[in-house]
Amino acid sequence: MAFSKPDIKFVIAPKIDVPKKKYCRFIRNGIKYVDFKDPDFLLKFLNEQGKLLPRRLTGNSLKFQKKVARSVKRARHLAILPYVSDLMK
């Protein structure tokens, strides 16, 4: 009885897509001031319920995330943006 190698099939790890590197859009575009009077721009940093998106999703640096948060709070105080909303976008 001759010994033959069985067909061994190795499980290959699935290819994992490398996510794009996140960048701070403020540093990339040279924006130094976040205007609280521009609600269309600030809506990019809010989700459907009106909550601020975290840095890990937006890609902002710490410095500009704080400026965005401050601008959103000022816009809410002046009734430019709502505090809470259903399906804002």
Side-chain angles (χ1 to χ4, degrees):
M1 178 161 135
F3 180 76
S4 64
K5 291 185 179 180
D7 293 333
I8 299 174
K9 295 182 180 179
F10 294 101
V11 177
I12 299 172
K15 292 184 180 181
I16 299 173
D17 294 334
V18 178
K20 288 184 179 179
K21 178 154 173 54
K22 292 181 182 150
Y23 61 91
C24 180
R25 69 180 81 202
F26 297 99
I27 294 173
R28 187 177 211 189
N29 296 326
I31 300 172
K32 296 187 186 214
Y33 178 72
V34 181
D35 191 15
F36 66 90
K37 295 172 274 186
D38 188 9
D40 297 329
F41 180 70
L42 292 176
L43 279 176
K44 296 176 185 175
F45 302 102
L46 301 175
N47 66 5
E48 292 83 18
Q49 291 88 27
K51 296 179 181 180
L52 278 168
L53 291 173
R55 285 180 56 207
R56 61 186 163 82
L57 295 179
T58 60
N60 293 339
S61 63
L62 178 64
K63 174 182 171 181
F64 284 103
Q65 182 70 15
K66 287 180 180 181
K67 288 183 179 185
V68 166
R70 190 178 321 123
S71 296
V72 168
K73 290 174 187 176
R74 286 180 181 170
R76 286 175 177 164
H77 184 72
L78 294 174
I80 298 171
L81 288 175
Y83 278 96
V84 179
S85 174
D86 286 334
L87 300 174
M88 224 165 84
K89 295 183 181 181

